[in-house]
Amino acid sequence: MEIIAALQSAVMADLPDGEPSDAELDAIEAEMPLILAEVELLDVQIAVMDRPFTDLSARRIRRARRRVLAARRDLTNLAVFELPGVAA
């Protein structure tokens, strides 16, 4: 029977340190308005789930969906304008 602890350093040598890179953190920060809008939509959907559906509930969901769509639009426009070699 072989002890695998002796092989641990060879296996673990190729793994990254587990921390996000600066580029990944920048990407997360750029997507944060969309993430927050999606969380707000989810909160509204959860709040409406255990109540009778009213006109106010429908308006809250519509507003939250519009915020998600606006955040997606803004993020998409930002990505298009930042592509290298693409003329606007």
Side-chain angles (χ1 to χ4, degrees), residues 27 30-34 38 67-83 86 88:
E31 292 178 5
M32 191 54 67
L34 175 60
E38 288 176 339
R67 285 188 199 107
V68 169
L69 291 174
R72 284 182 185 165
R73 179 199 60 218
D74 295 343
L75 187 60
T76 302
N77 288 340
L78 181 68
V80 167
F81 290 126
E82 290 184 357
L83 286 176
V86 175

Side-chain angles (χ1 to χ4, degrees), residues 38-66:
E38 288 176 339
V39 167
E40 184 179 344
L41 174 60
L42 185 62
D43 286 344
V44 169
Q45 289 171 336
I46 290 171
V48 169
M49 222 184 280
D50 63 344
R51 298 186 184 126
F53 198 75
T54 64
D55 289 338
L56 180 62
S57 302
R59 267 187 272 154
R60 288 181 66 197
I61 289 175
R62 264 196 319 271
R63 275 192 215 126
R65 284 183 179 157
R66 280 197 304 260

